[in-house]
Amino acid sequence: LGTELAYYRQFFPSLSGGQFDELVVLCQHVADWNLKVNLISRKDIASILQNHLLPSLAVSNVANFMDNDNVIDIGTGGGFPGLPLAIANPNTQFTLLDSNAKKMKVVADIASKINLRNVNVVTSRAEAYRGQFDFLLGRAVTAIPNFLSFSSHLMKCDSRAMTEEAGSGGKGLYYLKGGEYLGELQEAGITKHSIKHVSDIVPIQSDKFVLHIASPEIC
């Protein structure tokens, strides 16, 4: 796994060797735990880099996470994209949210073993959770209108966020998904967005893209 991941270091130049070591350990922990708790699809374990880790890291090449920003990964499941992004951005604060208590217990254990001090693991439904965040993350949790219906209240709508432009890497929602999305955006009343295909960020076979909806569209 480490040898395979080493090839992709060139596409994430801001990451140190130590961070890549932590990413390898993360994948190993997920694979080990997956034998007991279904964190990710069992058939996906052999493709954890292509299907989970690298698409998660791709978000970091699109979003401009700053020191002390607060990010929430809504419906984190097995910890993706939140855990890889927390490793890649150690000075940014990440809240990993999911209502599945069994998965969240495992995610908290993995974060503890890697000593990720910038991760807060919360077991809750998004609509019941309260907080204000600079960035929202999602990973094909549900259709965009539904996702926004239960998560938009978590978006920080201060003056700085409201001046961010779509496509700038600024604050807002970064959503990893594939397939049709324009109809979903129209239904949600979103008029501005940007997308970046994962395969344009890192050379893997993927139909996924990172959809960015800036804060003013959500607030």
Side-chain angles (χ1 to χ4, degrees):
L1 190 65
T3 305
E4 188 179 355
L5 186 57
Y7 166 76
Y8 294 103
R9 277 191 65 176
Q10 61 190 299
F11 303 103
F12 303 98
S14 66
L15 298 188
S16 68
Q19 285 169 308
F20 266 92
D21 290 342
E22 288 180 343
L23 291 166
V24 172
V25 172
L26 166 63
C27 291
Q28 290 169 339
H29 281 313
V30 171
D32 289 344
W33 265 111
N34 219 55
L35 297 171
K36 308 170 201 168
V37 178
N38 202 22
L39 294 176
I40 62 177
S41 170
R42 296 256 156 89
K43 63 180 181 357
D44 263 2
I45 278 294
S47 306
I48 190 170
L49 291 187
Q50 288 76 16
N51 292 352
H52 298 275
L53 184 70
L54 294 170
S56 296
L57 285 177
V59 176
S60 203
N61 280 23
V62 181
N64 187 24
F65 298 132
M66 304 292 285
D67 289 1
N68 299 316
D69 277 344
N70 283 297
V71 183
I72 184 165
D73 180 10
I74 299 162
T76 190
F80 296 93
L83 288 177
L85 290 174
I87 291 170
N89 301 274
N91 297 316
T92 300
Q93 301 302 309
F94 287 83
T95 295
L96 276 53
L97 181 79
D98 202 286
S99 61
N100 187 314
K102 188 181 286 187
K103 286 185 178 182
M104 289 299 89
K105 187 176 179 182
V106 174
V107 168
D109 178 76
I110 293 172
S112 174
K113 283 177 175 167
I114 304 176
N115 200 26
L116 295 178
R117 300 179 185 275
N118 60 330
V119 169
N120 179 34
V121 177
V122 177
T123 304
S124 174
R125 294 176 64 85
E127 53 265 49
Y129 190 62
R130 293 294 173 264
Q132 293 287 282
F133 296 88
D134 301 295
F135 296 86
L136 310 183
L137 300 176
R139 186 170 179 252
V141 177
T142 183
I144 294 162
N146 191 43
F147 182 85
L148 289 174
S149 76
F150 60 67
S151 65
S152 61
H153 68 283
L154 298 169
M155 187 83 252
K156 186 187 290 184
C157 296
D158 61 16
S159 56
R160 180 182 161 208
M162 295 301 284
T163 60
E164 299 282 0
E165 292 296 323
S168 69
K171 293 173 169 50
L173 167 65
Y174 288 83
Y175 202 66
L176 262 172
K177 78 182 299 288
E180 197 279 332
Y181 67 98
L182 289 174
E184 292 182 18
L185 292 178
Q186 187 175 16
E187 184 184 337
I190 303 298
T191 58
K192 293 181 181 176
H193 72 280
S194 64
I195 68 165
K196 184 84 173 178
H197 288 275
V198 169
S199 58
D200 290 335
I201 299 169
V202 57
I204 57 173
Q205 289 226 317
S206 176
D207 65 345
K208 301 293 186 290
F209 51 83
V210 182
L211 169 69
H212 176 216
I213 302 172
S215 302
E217 290 286 304
I218 298 171
C219 292

